[in-house]
Amino acid sequence: MSHQVLLQKLTSRLPLGICVVNKEYQIVYLNDFFTDRLRHVGGDVYNKNLLDLYPEAAKYLAKKINSVFVLNNASFSYWEHKPHVFNFSSSRPITGEETLMYQNIEFFPLDILHDSVETVCVVVQDVTELASYYRAQRALSEELEQEHKALTELNKKLEAAQNQLLQSEKMAAIGQLAAGVAHEINNPVGFVSSNLQSLQDYNAKLFKMIHFYRKLIQKINNPTYLALEKDMLQRQQYVFVSSDLPELIRESIDGLERVAVIVKNLKLFSHVDNSEWQFADIVEGLENTLKIAVNQIKYKATMHCNYQENLPKLYCQPMQLNQVFLNLLVNSAQAIENKGDIFIDVSATKEMLYVAIRDTGSGIAPDNLRKIFEPFFTTKPVGQGTGLGLSLSYSIIKKHKGEILVESTLNEGSCFTLQLPFLAPEDYQLDQAADAASFQP
Amino acid sequence: MNTLLSEEQRDALQELMNISMGQAANALARLISAKITLSIPKISAVTPHKFLAMLTKRTVWYTRQSFLGAIKGEVVAILSKDGCDAIALLMDYDLPLTQDTLNELLLELANILAGACLAGFAEQLSLKAKLSMPTIFMPAALRVEQYRWASTLIMEVEFKVEASHFDSKIVICLEEASVQTLLATLQQLLE
Ligand SMILES: Nc1ncnc2c1ncn2[C@@H]1O[C@H](COP(=O)(O)OP(=O)(O)OP(=O)(O)O)[C@@H](O)[C@H]1O
Ligand SMILES: [Mg+2]
């Protein structure tokens, strides 16, 4: 076998595409790898322009080949960046999922005459196998990453839940403390308050008497007595005392009334985990809740309350419903960025009680609307929201055989409506029995 | 600390480097039609420790590319993140760069610079060396203990594209055994 024949056989069997072009991109040499894939062109491909044979790749090929001619330096093309420079179909037409061949290409100067490149050789390597393996690996690692992210997310949620639990434990402890303190304070506040009422009363009587005596002295009209009286009044600062004393008493009574309100709220608050079923006035519950939430609301929103008159009492767990009201009110206040309004509307039909809490806050994106009742769904920053408020509210309302509805328009506001059926204690008995049973070991 | 080289050998090597790096700068300048400035080549012997210490910057990208022939080794290109967009424009890439086109650009740049440096250098010494494809290099994962060499010769040179604040460094690292070949060839030239 002559050397040339050997070379020819070799290049025809190589699993590489080899193409040599001159400065005009005319094909000087092509091996079988190319010609096998160029059957459709017909005729002799020699002296044809490479760029004409592969018009989609012409711009890129020209750039790469030019750089070799100019710089006298090899240049490379990677499947990661340009997977299919030549539109060769996949080498795995049956079993492979890819339709085009992935290629690494090297362009290098072949004939160099006096430092000037005369021909450039293009070597194409089929890396389909490698590429699809690599891509599968990458897909896998992306999947892993996703899973990892999901796990991290879950971890965070667990942490938040734990915090929430700790928080509610703390709240319960504070509640007990508050209940104790409230009870202790209530007694002295009671008698101080009734004493003050008496003081106010006696004080009025004493001033009436002084008034009477002064009139008497004036009637007698004895200059000596008058002078003595004037001196006495002056020395005892009668004018000031007579105006200040009733005011002091009034202020004290006011202050004590405030203490009484605070104590009452503390007592209410300390009963939040009370789940007793009873007939209760919903408006009263709302008002009590508002008092607790007032600090979170007053700088953000003006309250507008509208209650239908003569509402019947509802058989419910009042403290639990208060918890729902609180969640809704706090959400509304948190949804308002600067200043807005919150509307409370309570009405009833024969069968159903409606409590609507509407705000002019941020509104809820349609995508999120489906998710807000899911536990841990929150759009609030860490520390502000745990995403438990609505899911808790949902379960409370469900226990009352009610519904909780939302309407919301982004950037306009949201309205949460509670529908609570007027039912009799018997209607809940089965559930309560089930609840109780589930606590038994 | 450069015990590998005598003073005389070093001067000769530096002179060779100067010429070949000039050619590399020319190549880049021609390709992007911009003015390139060139630092004086630095030649030093390094330990794996020192070598890794060179590769800790966060403001650059790294590529690596090996060469084979009478002398063997690797070329590491260090390319600044600053000014990359400007170079991309000069080299006819579409902005903004995606991760893929950025990698493509970095590899192309590295290949041009490394190719020119090495070709010039090998030609001066009449030693043959052929470069393989460059790849992106993430040195962060490397540890000194993994290295099986004790000391080698590196030649660094910096290219700056003034107009666009782009800065790059080409480091030719010789395999331990090739240092001897290089020294022998140098010695012949000197005699
Ligand atoms: N009135 C509202 N306006 C706008 N968005 C709301 C409103 N109410 C609820 N949302 C949205 O629903 C999400 C879930 O509310 P939810 O009360 O369950 O949790 P949270 O308020 O984020 O946290 P938590 O109540 O546990 O402190 C909120 O993060 C918010 O995105
Ligand atoms: Mg909430």
Side-chain angles (χ1 to χ4, degrees), chain A residues 326-328 330-332 334 377-378 380 384-390 393:
Chain A
L326 186 68
N327 284 336
L328 296 181
V330 169
N331 279 351
S332 285
Q334 286 176 341
F377 176 80
T378 183
K380 291 166 194 171
Q384 237 214 71
T386 57
L388 285 175
L390 282 180
S393 304

Side-chain angles (χ1 to χ4, degrees), chain A residues 315 401 423-431:
Chain A
Y315 186 71
K401 300 189 191 290
L423 295 176
E426 302 85 73
D427 295 318
Y428 294 108
Q429 247 153 26
L430 262 181
D431 308 273

